[in-house]
Amino acid sequence: MTGTAAPVTAAPASDRTAVPVTQAQPDWARSNPEMNTFISDLMAQMTLKEKIGQLTLLTSNWESTGPTMRDSYKEDIRSGRVGGIFNAYTAAYTAELQRLAVDETRLKIPLLFGYDVIHGHRTIFPISLGEAASWDLAAIEQAARLSAVEASAEGIHWTFSPMVDIARDPRWGRISEGAGEDVHLGSKIAAARVRGYQGDDLAATDTVVATAKHFAAYGAAQAGRDYHTVDISERTLRDVYLPPFKAAVDAGVGSFMTSFNEVDGIPASGSRYLLTDILRDQWGFDGFVVTDYTSINEMVPHGYSKDLKQSGEQALNAGVDMDMQGAVYMDHLAQSVSEGKVDQAAIDRAVRRILEMKYRLGLFEAPYRYSNVERQEATIYRPDILEAARDVARKSMVLLKNEGGALPLASTAQSIAVIGPLADSKEDMIGSWSAAGDRSTRPVTILQGIRERAASGVNIGYAKGASYAYGDAGKDDGFAEALALAQKSDVIIAAMGEKWDMTGEAASRTSLDLPGNQQALLERLVATGKPVILVMLSGRPNSIGWADENVPAILHAWYPGTMGGHAVADVLFGDYNPSGKLPVTFPRNVGQVPIHYDMKNTGRPIELGADNAKYVSRYLNTPNTPLYRFGHGLSYTSFGYSPATLSTASMTAGGSLTASATITNTGKVAGEEVVQLYVRDLVGSVTRPVQELKGFEKVTLAPGESRTVTFTLRPEDLAFTRADMSHGWEPGEFQLWIAPVSGAAASVPVGFTITE
Ligand code: BGC
């Protein structure tokens, strides 16, 4: 591709800044001399102000995802003070703004359009945590691919996704945006999403640049309170929170976003350690780094910068290329250069990275190539995209409990009561961070899905019955209507959970219980003696222990997206056999948090004591075990696992072993099973988790069918941050499980060793 920068009038000599002729460059850039020459020529013409403009990203006034700093974004574009705009979409609007940059600025450098396309653009897929519950990498990649197809058709070049923060605290509302608690699953999903968004060719107009966010350790916010302090060990940072980011780099992610939090006393947007030492020097990341929303400014209240000028210097010197919405670079960076607080070379490096991305997207050649009204009209809400959203939604659902075959619904049920605040609520179907998704007309509710699916003649009744509003706890206004309906129905579908905005950003909770008066209604419904099926809509693990004890069937449907109601009906009626498994542990109550399957054993594990023994690591009032384990999820069929076998019981450096088990569908219907491989490193130079997921495979089996699943393990798969802080494996003894769920009791382990 050739760049065609339009002729420009030269900037006054005093304004021009030197452009380094040689810079450390990634391979793809070195091998593109045409691009390098183009960008060098362009940069040679740029004033310092124009360069700083390329490092500035502002929101349009279409949507607000944080505090608004500048209303004058159009004027800022015209004056070359902005390199990118977010929260602006549609072919027409992006073209309108692009015109301001291309027609009215001196250098005609096109804008980059970013947006939070997190789980769909117009057609909304299940929330990211829900998608993760599918453990289906192909489906997850496809969801990202189709999201990119829709978003790019509305002029978007760049998505602020995937969110790859490991999250182990369900109080934190943003747990809904990621892939859950696990390092291995999270890393695989991070890579799948990057591949999906970016496709094979960034220059293709139906792909978008992906962003790995939020770098780093945002999910470890103290007490699950959003934006709160993070104070974790270097080892935990490296072994738990960083690997999904590294996986995104290895998958070729184009950009990184910093996080709001501090890590060990340094706000992430000012952390040279994270943004340069690790990201650039150790991992070789060659894209650009954007901050999170005003997070440079926030280094002042963090107490890390005395004023905005200093925070801008700290951010740029740490390795931040682009300032999202803070206008700190815009307002202060030129002065910092003149005072010698910031190196011109550092600014040039950042500018080059942004220009490279614009070049790779083909924007210099054709600035409007993504803003195409016909393509937009032919693409958004395309039937195949809607169908894919339905498919991913049903794959994401987790059957938590199914006693006595309560599900699928019996064909003899002649009357179904659909009850609850989430039963017929369109806006709740698509969850938070749902981009340009329509929340008022398109989403298919659970009631609608059931009505359309039920056989003619089956009576479907509906009552909202309860409320999820915090203030409504204690009220019972709708109970009588709901109970009357329940009494005259054969089965009750209770659709309960959390309002869509109770998870997501700035949506932390100190309780994981059903909010409002839902629990009280659920208890009254169960007391009718009618079979109750609980369908949970939520973006976090909830403590639903009472329901687990008293309700025969529980289906966790997350926020399933635009086609969610159809997907729920597919599962309830048995048209789709559920196959989701939890990507996160469900605690019994909030007091167990943080609880995750790969905890350490402690010196006094509970197994050392008899029931109720004192002086072991336990609670007085709650078992140590969670309500539902990581990896848990039932099916309408059953699966048998043979004992695991190994190709060899010992491996050495450079070697490998295979572990196999035969899985049999022992039930009566076809089904999919996520087969999970766990390993425990028994003794290390530092203590090791009781289990770590090291592989998984989703298999489809007809009734009676068996399949042998084989995993390959190499010593490197068992690497961690050792006592001396080096990364690698250690010789020793290991245990291995091939199992349907985490937990030492899920299958019989086999042992192996690694020798030097
Ligand atoms: C969020 C980011 C998001 C950004 C832009 C921030 O508040 O933390 O995840 O990408 O806003 O909307």
Side-chain angles (χ1 to χ4, degrees):
M1 176 199 329
T2 359
T4 53
V8 290
T9 34
S14 59
D15 260 8
R16 273 182 248 153
T17 52
V19 180
V21 183
T22 50
Q23 290 184 343
Q25 276 196 311
D27 285 349
W28 56 261
R30 266 196 301 274
S31 63
N32 194 342
E34 214 175 312
M35 175 184 78
N36 293 333
T37 310
F38 174 80
I39 293 177
S40 295
D41 288 350
L42 181 57
M43 286 177 65
Q45 302 170 54
M46 292 171 82
T47 64
L48 178 59
K49 272 200 184 124
E50 283 164 337
K51 287 181 178 176
I52 293 170
Q54 290 305 305
L55 309 185
T56 298
L57 175 71
L58 293 181
T59 180
S60 85
N61 63 1
W62 273 30
E63 277 170 22
S64 170
T65 45
T68 304
M69 314 295 283
R70 294 184 74 80
D71 291 330
S72 54
Y73 64 99
K74 288 192 185 169
E75 208 25 67
D76 292 329
I77 297 172
R78 279 198 188 93
S79 55
R81 281 155 65 83
V82 179
I85 291 285
F86 67 114
N87 290 334
Y89 52 90
T90 72
Y93 194 49
T94 51
E96 179 189 327
L97 297 180
Q98 193 66 292
R99 211 162 289 123
L100 300 180
V102 172
D103 290 353
E104 300 194 30
T105 65
R106 193 177 73 89
L107 291 172
K108 309 180 185 324
I109 300 174
L111 292 168
L112 189 63
F113 290 108
Y115 195 41
D116 288 284
V117 179
I118 310 291
H119 53 110
H121 175 65
R122 291 275 182 183
T123 303
I124 301 300
F125 289 78
I127 55 164
S128 308
L129 186 63
E131 281 187 4
S134 74
W135 297 53
D136 186 329
L137 297 176
I140 292 169
E141 181 173 335
Q142 177 68 352
R145 182 84 286 283
L146 293 171
S147 307
V149 166
E150 265 194 348
S152 60
E154 293 215 69
I156 303 296
H157 308 132
W158 172 34
T159 175
F160 305 141
S161 180
M163 190 274 220
V164 305
D165 296 307
I166 295 292
R168 303 178 150 197
D169 191 331
R171 293 172 296 185
W172 190 53
R174 303 199 80 168
I175 195 170
S176 60
E177 286 178 58
E181 74 186 33
D182 183 56
V183 179
H184 180 80
L185 181 62
S187 300
K188 294 281 178 201
I189 290 177
R193 289 190 166 132
V194 170
R195 286 194 304 269
Y197 291 127
Q198 298 194 164
D200 299 329
D201 180 8
L202 264 191
T205 51
D206 68 351
T207 58
V208 294
V209 181
T211 309
K213 73 182 189 186
H214 307 83
F215 195 57
Y218 186 28
Q222 282 177 359
R225 173 150 62 79
D226 209 0
Y227 317 125
H228 205 355
T229 308
V230 168
D231 192 2
I232 53 177
S233 71
E234 173 74 17
R235 181 168 286 106
T236 299
L237 176 72
R238 287 185 174 271
D239 288 351
V240 177
Y241 290 92
L242 294 188
F245 288 98
K246 173 68 164 55
V249 172
D250 292 344
V253 72
S255 74
F256 255 60
M257 185 187 292
T258 63
S259 56
F260 288 123
N261 55 284
E262 65 168 65
V263 182
D264 195 17
I266 315 265
S269 298
S271 172
R272 191 174 166 82
Y273 177 60
L274 285 174
L275 302 179
T276 297
D277 299 354
I278 292 181
L279 185 58
R280 300 278 179 197
D281 298 347
Q282 291 174 25
W283 295 354
F285 172 63
D286 58 27
F288 68 97
V289 174
V290 65
T291 65
D292 203 347
Y293 202 112
T294 61
S295 64
I296 298 183
N297 316 54
E298 292 167 24
M299 294 205 285
V300 175
H302 266 294
Y304 188 64
S305 320
K306 66 177 187 305
D307 55 23
L308 291 178
K309 186 168 85 58
Q310 188 190 17
S311 68
E313 291 156 7
Q314 288 167 316
L316 193 95
N317 290 332
V320 166
D321 299 314
M322 192 182 249
D323 169 6
M324 182 194 284
Q325 188 57 12
V328 174
Y329 282 3
M330 178 191 257
D331 291 341
H332 303 284
L333 214 47
Q335 192 188 338
S336 301
V337 173
S338 68
E339 289 172 6
K341 301 265 176 50
V342 162
D343 241 6
Q344 177 66 50
I347 294 192
D348 284 339
R349 260 197 305 276
V351 173
R352 184 174 282 275
R353 287 176 187 137
I354 310 293
L355 296 178
E356 279 171 353
M357 190 52 80
K358 292 182 176 184
Y359 189 97
R360 292 170 79 189
L361 291 166
L363 295 177
F364 286 108
E365 201 174 44
Y368 304 101
R369 60 201 299 265
Y370 293 75
S371 307
N372 176 326
V373 175
E374 289 82 55
R375 182 162 79 99
Q376 171 182 303
E377 274 163 17
T379 306
I380 61 171
Y381 296 121
R382 228 168 54 190
D384 63 304
I385 302 181
L386 287 165
E387 205 35 56
R390 176 175 180 162
D391 192 44
V392 180
R394 55 195 183 192
K395 286 183 166 143
S396 75
M397 288 178 199
V398 183
L399 185 61
L400 294 174
K401 180 182 179 192
N402 194 19
E403 203 172 75
L407 282 176
L409 293 171
S411 52
T412 48
Q414 283 311 298
S415 51
I416 303 175
V418 185
I419 294 174
L422 289 134
D424 194 30
S425 170
K426 286 185 182 291
E427 66 165 5
D428 286 311
M429 296 309 287
I430 65 175
S432 70
W433 286 116
S434 38
D438 159 21
R439 17 183 103 250
S440 56
T441 56
R442 288 245 175 202
V444 178
T445 68
I446 294 174
L447 177 64
Q448 186 185 340
I450 291 175
R451 280 209 168 118
E452 287 184 26
R453 169 56 180 80
S456 63
V458 174
N459 209 351
I460 314 288
Y462 163 71
K464 185 172 172 212
S467 156
Y468 44 44
Y470 294 121
D472 288 344
K475 295 188 184 160
D476 64 358
D477 319 356
F479 285 19
E481 184 199 357
L483 291 167
L485 173 67
Q487 291 291 1
K488 58 178 197 205
S489 304
D490 294 336
V491 59
I492 300 161
I493 309 291
M496 297 186 168
E498 298 189 358
K499 181 171 160 53
W500 69 272
D501 62 2
M502 287 178 180
T503 48
E505 188 175 351
S508 298
R509 296 186 64 200
T510 58
S511 159
L512 304 175
D513 297 345
L514 286 172
N517 58 1
Q518 299 179 93
Q519 177 67 30
L521 179 63
L522 186 62
E523 292 179 17
R524 301 280 296 274
L525 292 173
V526 169
T528 64
K530 302 281 182 173
V532 176
I533 313 291
L534 175 62
V535 178
M536 282 291 298
L537 266 74
S538 171
R540 60 158 57 84
N542 292 99
S543 38
I544 46 172
W546 188 91
D548 182 64
E549 273 174 26
N550 296 284
V551 172
I554 307 175
L555 179 70
H556 200 91
W558 315 101
Y559 296 109
T562 308
M563 298 292 277
H566 287 317
V568 169
D570 289 339
V571 173
L572 294 181
F573 287 90
D575 303 335
Y576 180 79
N577 185 356
S579 63
K581 301 260 191 175
L582 293 179
V584 62
T585 303
F586 275 42
R588 293 174 189 273
N589 62 49
V590 75
Q592 288 183 310
V593 171
I595 180 169
H596 45 95
Y597 81 94
D598 52 343
M599 312 233 17
K600 302 291 187 73
N601 203 36
T602 81
R604 293 186 176 191
I606 192 166
E607 291 77 13
L608 285 182
D611 279 353
N612 299 326
K614 209 170 165 57
Y615 307 119
V616 292
S617 180
R618 59 185 284 267
Y619 300 102
L620 294 178
N621 60 333
T622 303
N624 282 9
T625 51
L627 183 59
Y628 301 116
R629 290 179 187 276
F630 172 84
H632 169 73
L634 305 172
S635 163
Y636 295 153
T637 190
S638 49
F639 297 99
Y641 280 63
S642 75
T645 57
L646 302 179
S647 58
T648 166
S650 174
M651 60 176 162
T652 50
S656 66
L657 61 75
T658 60
S660 309
T662 301
I663 320 302
T664 305
N665 181 343
T666 51
K668 293 199 172 54
V669 291
E672 293 159 89
E673 169 71 343
V674 179
V675 183
Q676 301 160 40
L677 172 74
Y678 294 95
V679 174
R680 177 170 182 182
D681 182 348
L682 294 181
V683 178
S685 62
V686 293
T687 59
R688 310 288 300 122
V690 293
Q691 277 195 326
E692 289 177 286
L693 183 76
K694 292 294 174 188
F696 60 91
E697 192 174 326
K698 197 164 186 174
V699 292
T700 306
L701 296 172
E705 188 184 352
S706 295
R707 176 96 45 89
T708 299
V709 173
T710 299
F711 298 98
T712 301
L713 265 185
R714 300 159 308 143
E716 302 83 81
D717 298 323
L718 304 165
F720 61 99
T721 304
R722 296 176 288 209
D724 63 2
M725 298 311 285
S726 65
H727 181 80
W729 50 273
E730 289 176 345
E733 291 182 19
F734 298 78
Q735 281 184 324
L736 176 152
W737 295 255
I738 296 180
V741 60
S742 66
S747 70
V748 179
V750 283
F752 68 90
T753 57
I754 306 185
T755 51
E756 298 264 23

